[in-house]
Amino acid sequence: MQTSVSLQEPYSFSIVPIIVLIIIASALVFVLLFLKKNQKEKSEVKAIPQKNIKNIPAIKNKHLRELEAIEYQYKNNKLELRKAYQLISENVRLFVFEVTDITTQNYSLTEIKKLNIPNLYETIAEYYEPEFSKKPSGDFINSVQKAKEIIQRF
């Protein structure tokens, strides 16, 4: 018996959209892992290296002399308050760098706090207001003394 009815081909879904979704999902996972890795590397702050033995007394003397020069220039009205605070902040940060090889001159205040160096965070935080406010104010002579104490105690 012959019939005029023909069978229909089985219905199949296109595989292209599935492949595209898998590629997009894989790329997204890869990007997220890459960003997480980079963020983790940036947030880690180096600890103070113990192997770093330098001529610390000479470094201390150098930076103490520089602080005295800054103080002298400020007292003789050769430096304005903002610039004087910027210079002592830079001096203390460079001192820490020379002693420990930690690039504190590039660190934010939050990153300095993570270092756990006694009084460094508080002292640098004290300098922020006079360094960055529109009308700087502060007890500069007291601030210089604190900077000298940090260097002497290190």
Side-chain angles (χ1 to χ4, degrees):
M1 173 163 142
Q2 286 188 330
T3 64
S4 64
V5 177
S6 62
L7 294 176
Q8 183 179 359
E9 291 289 322
Y11 186 77
S12 65
F13 292 100
S14 175
I15 197 159
V16 174
I18 295 171
I19 293 174
V20 169
L21 284 176
I22 291 173
I23 291 172
I24 290 173
S26 299
L28 183 62
V29 168
F30 177 74
V31 168
L32 290 175
L33 290 175
F34 180 75
L35 290 175
K36 185 176 180 180
K37 179 184 174 192
N38 281 349
Q39 183 181 18
K40 191 176 191 179
E41 289 173 359
K42 287 180 182 178
S43 66
E44 292 176 1
V45 177
K46 286 196 281 183
I48 298 174
Q50 298 299 320
K51 64 177 176 68
N52 197 355
I53 307 296
K54 296 184 178 187
N55 188 355
I56 294 178
I59 296 171
K60 283 183 179 183
N61 287 334
K62 172 187 155 192
H63 285 276
L64 289 171
R65 283 192 310 272
E66 289 175 5
L67 285 174
E68 288 172 2
I70 295 167
E71 183 179 12
Y72 176 80
Q73 288 178 347
Y74 175 76
K75 284 181 179 178
N76 291 310
N77 296 321
K78 294 181 180 181
L79 283 176
E80 62 179 38
L81 186 62
R82 179 187 321 276
K83 184 66 176 173
Y85 270 104
Q86 289 171 348
L87 290 173
I88 62 172
S89 176
E90 179 183 6
N91 183 282
V92 171
R93 289 170 182 252
L94 287 174
F95 168 75
V96 173
F97 169 68
E98 287 183 29
V99 172
T100 65
D101 291 330
I102 299 172
T103 56
T104 52
Q105 65 272 26
N106 300 335
Y107 281 15
S108 68
L109 193 57
T110 305
E111 292 169 324
I112 289 174
K113 187 174 187 176
K114 292 178 185 177
L115 292 175
N116 292 323
I117 297 176
N119 300 324
L120 180 64
Y121 168 77
E122 292 82 14
T123 303
I124 299 296
E126 179 182 319
Y127 302 160
Y128 261 56
E129 192 276 324
E131 281 183 276
F132 299 112
S133 67
K134 287 184 179 184
K135 260 192 158 179
S137 64
D139 184 2
F140 180 74
I141 304 303
N142 185 33
S143 296
V144 170
Q145 293 306 317
K146 287 181 182 179
K148 289 178 182 178
E149 288 173 14
I150 286 178
I151 291 172
Q152 290 168 344
R153 291 181 185 172
F154 211 90

